[in-house]
Every structure is written in structure tokens, then in C-alpha cells.
């Protein structure tokens, strides 16, 4: 006889899964019925294998309880002398269950900034992976919302809305009986752009006087702030001259030696992703000349005691 249908050449499965059944068909030989016997081998050869007890049908389903590479073949025979033929080898690769090795990392960004690209990677498993990203309003990998079009190992979230969302990926496999695996969640926090709080106050002093500390605060944004104060000759928060060393949230001017109005403002920048800068209102310092004596007291006089 000859083998007219060979068993599947190779397949990979996850440990504990059920492999595809192996099948042979024979043709020719004598008119006697065919007998079958399957063998398992540790090398890629259809000789010298171990007889599998009870595997005496034209089909056989191996188990995948042990990780490794295993080789199967069948011998088809008839009762007449020398009427035996051996099939080609069928390779079974049993892989460990897949596990995620790279988890997605969250980020905190400003509105319309670029969030850190989320990425997952895995090892082990069998078959071709498929990816699907989900988002959730709570820190959970169940009950999430499918993110349309997010079907690769990486995904860059949108940041055109101010909200905290948790993202996670589900990886599934098209063969090998591998269970799908789910990543951890990654929080992507989208913050509003920074806004400087109102609070620029006007001050009036005399020449040689001193002013109270000017201070700025802000809301929104993310990241570490940097400040720069400016002095201007016009009532405007642009076009001023930067003040060397004035790089804190507060600033106190000194040395007002002449009368007039002096204007100050501060810019605030954040190093968070996508955060724009903001400029304060104008702080006005009005410097006046000191008052003068327009009428002096009488220079001198003499009087009698008691007058």
C-alpha cells in the first residue's frame, strides 16, 4: 500500500490545548483491510519511534501536556508479508502559554498634546496574534470600550478632550488553542492648558520707596513650571525686557529713583507634553515724586515770656 493522504506536516499549540487530529489514508496493496499504528519520536524521523498504545486508527489526536517538540508518524499494514508503509512525520510544537512581557505605560499631557505611545509585547504562545485596545473610565480591564481601529501592538491615544482614561490591550491567537491575554491598564490623563490666575495688583509709591512682592499662580497644565518676569515701559504684557534672575513665581522690584509708571508681567511655561505657555496681566507700579513744602514756617521771631 501507499499513503495517499499524509498527516498535517506541522502545527504549534499552547500547553494544555487540543492539537488538530492527525490523519492518514492508504491506497493500493492487497484486498485485506488496513491496520494502523501510530508512533511518537523525539527526533524528526519516521523510524525508531515509540509505539503509542491504543493508537490504532487512521486518526490520532496527540496531547499537548508537555512543552517541547514531538514527532508523530503512522505505519499502515496489511496481513500479507511486506505490505507495510510508513507516513511522513507530523511535527507538534507545544509552547508555553503566552505572557505579556511589555506593559503599556501611561502619561499625563496637556490638551491636544501627544500622549506616550502605548505598547505591548508578549512571548511564548502559538499562532498569529491579533491586538485590540480598549479604554475605560475606571481602572479595570473588564467592561471597557473597544477603541476603533486600534488593532496593532501600539496605540497613541487621542488628547482632544480633557479626561482621565485607562487603556489596555487584549491579545488573541488564531490557532494553537492559546487563551487570550490582557495587559495591565495605563492611565492617560489629559489636562486643560494652564491658565494664570487673576491677581495682578497696582501699587503706588514715592521715589525711593519699596513695593510689595508680586506673585503669580496658575491652574491646569502638567509638568514642572518655569517663570520669567519682564519689565516694560508701556502698559502691555508683550515686548518687555526680561529681568535677569527673576525666574521664580514671585518678584520684588527695587530702586525706583525717578517718578513715572513702570509695568511688569510674567510668563509661565510647563515642561509637560503639549503644554502651552501663558502670560500674566500687567502689574503696574506708579512712582510719584515726594511731596514738597510749598509754604515754609516763619523763619524767626522774638516774643516776651508769657506772650
Amino acid at each position: 500500500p501507499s499513503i495517499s493522504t499524509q498527516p498535517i506536516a506541522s502545527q504549534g499549540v499552547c500547553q494544555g490545548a487540543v492539537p488538530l487530529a492527525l490523519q492518514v489514508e492508504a491506497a493500493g496493496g492487497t484486498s485485506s483491510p488496513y491496520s494502523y499504528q501510530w508512533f511518537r519520536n523525539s527526533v524528526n524521523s519516521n523510524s525508531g519511534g515509540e509505539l503509542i498504545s491504543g493508537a490504532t486508527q487512521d486518526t490520532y489526536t496527540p496531547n499537548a501536556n508537555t512543552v517541547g517538540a514531538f514527532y508523530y508518524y503512522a505505519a499502515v499494514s496489511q496481513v500479507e508479508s511486506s505490505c507495510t508503509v510508513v507516513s511522513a512525520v507530523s511535527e507538534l510544537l507545544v509552547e508555553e502559554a503566552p505572557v505579556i512581557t511589555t506593559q503599556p505605560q501611561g502619561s499625563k499631557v496637556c490638551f491636544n498634546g501627544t500622549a506616550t505611545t502605548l505598547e505591548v509585547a508578549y512571548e511564548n504562545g502559538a499562532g498569529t496574534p491579533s491586538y485590540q485596545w480598549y479604554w475605560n473610565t475606571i481602572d479595570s480591564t473588564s467592561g471597557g470600550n473597544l477603541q476603533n481601529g486600534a488593532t496593532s501592538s501600539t496605540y497613541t491615544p487621542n488628547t482632544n478632550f480633557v479626561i482621565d482614561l485607562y487603556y489596555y490591550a487584549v491579545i488573541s491567537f488564531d490557532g494553537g488553542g492559546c487563551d487570550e491575554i490582557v495587559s495591565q491598564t495605563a492611565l492617560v490623563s489629559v489636562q486643560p492648558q494652564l491658565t494664570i490666575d487673576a491677581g495682578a495688583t497696582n501699587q503706588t509709591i514715592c521715589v525711593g520707596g519699596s513695593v510689595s512682592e508680586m506673585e503669580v499662580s496658575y491652574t491646569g497644565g502638567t509638568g514642572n513650571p518655569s517663570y520669567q518676569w519682564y519689565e516694560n515701559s508701556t502698559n502691555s504684557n508683550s515686548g518687555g525686557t526680561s529681568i535677569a534672575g527673576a525666574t521664580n513665581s514671585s518678584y520684588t522690584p527695587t530702586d525706583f529713583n525717578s517718578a513715572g509708571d513702570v509695568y511688569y508681567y510674567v510668563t509661565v511655561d510647563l515642561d509637560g507634553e503639549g503644554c502651552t505657555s501663558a502670560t500674566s496681566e500687567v502689574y503696574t507700579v506708579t512712582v510719584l515724586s515726594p511731596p514738597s513744602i510749598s509754604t515754609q514756617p516763619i523763619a524767626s521771631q522774638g516774643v516776651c515770656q508769657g506772650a
Side-chain angles (χ1 to χ4, degrees):
S2 61
I3 301 295
S4 57
T5 299
Q6 296 285 356
I8 184 172
S10 181
Q11 62 177 310
V13 299
C14 278
Q15 185 178 15
V18 178
L20 296 175
L22 311 181
Q23 183 175 13
V24 293
E25 291 183 7
T30 70
S31 59
S32 301
Y34 300 118
S35 298
Y36 303 90
Q37 180 60 59
W38 288 89
F39 295 83
R40 177 174 54 242
N41 213 342
S42 59
V43 295
N44 190 357
S45 173
N46 62 356
S47 66
E50 172 192 0
L51 181 148
I52 303 172
S53 177
T56 56
Q57 303 295 321
D58 59 348
T59 61
Y60 173 67
T61 303
N63 70 61
N65 298 329
T66 304
V67 172
F70 305 93
Y71 304 91
Y72 296 88
Y73 62 92
V76 182
S77 61
Q78 294 175 303
V79 295
E80 289 79 10
S81 176
S82 297
C83 288
T84 300
V85 66
V86 179
S87 76
V89 170
S90 177
E91 180 185 51
L92 174 63
L93 299 175
V94 182
E95 305 278 1
E96 292 183 11
V99 293
I100 291 179
T101 55
T102 299
Q103 298 286 354
Q105 300 299 311
S107 57
K108 195 173 185 179
V109 299
C110 280
F111 176 77
N112 277 338
T114 302
T116 299
T117 297
L118 306 176
E119 182 177 9
V120 290
Y122 75 95
E123 64 183 12
N124 303 328
T128 302
S130 297
Y131 301 87
Q132 180 60 61
W133 289 89
Y134 294 81
W135 60 268
N136 212 341
T137 55
I138 59 175
D139 188 6
S140 174
T141 57
S142 64
N145 299 274
L146 184 147
Q147 181 66 54
N148 290 328
T151 55
S152 69
S153 61
T154 60
Y155 173 65
T156 303
N158 294 322
T159 59
N160 55 358
F161 42 81
V162 175
I163 194 172
D164 287 349
L165 291 178
Y166 297 87
Y167 293 86
Y168 62 93
V170 175
I171 307 175
S172 54
F173 301 85
D174 64 356
C178 301
D179 293 333
E180 66 181 21
I181 52 178
V182 182
S183 75
Q184 298 173 0
T185 60
L187 172 61
V188 178
S189 178
V190 182
Q191 302 294 311
Q193 292 290 353
L194 77 90
T195 302
I196 290 182
D197 300 333
T201 55
N202 299 331
Q203 301 184 59
T204 301
I205 63 170
C206 286
V207 172
S210 60
V211 297
S212 300
E213 180 182 70
M214 302 173 183
E215 189 171 9
V216 69
S217 61
Y218 68 91
T219 56
T222 184
N224 300 308
S226 59
Y227 304 89
Q228 180 60 61
W229 288 85
Y230 293 83
E231 182 178 317
N232 211 349
S233 59
T234 60
N235 188 2
S236 173
N237 62 356
S238 65
T241 302
S242 63
I243 303 170
T247 55
N248 295 316
S249 61
S250 60
Y251 173 66
T252 304
T254 58
D255 300 332
F256 293 97
N257 298 319
S258 60
D261 289 336
V262 187
Y263 306 97
Y264 299 89
Y265 63 92
V266 60
T267 59
V268 183
D269 290 275
L270 295 173
D271 62 7
E273 177 61 43
C275 297
T276 58
S277 62
T279 303
S280 73
E281 298 175 353
V282 174
Y283 298 75
T284 302
V285 176
T286 299
V287 183
L288 302 176
S289 298
S292 59
I293 302 296
S294 57
T295 301
Q296 295 288 349
I298 184 171
S300 179
Q301 62 178 312
V303 297
C304 283
Q305 185 179 13

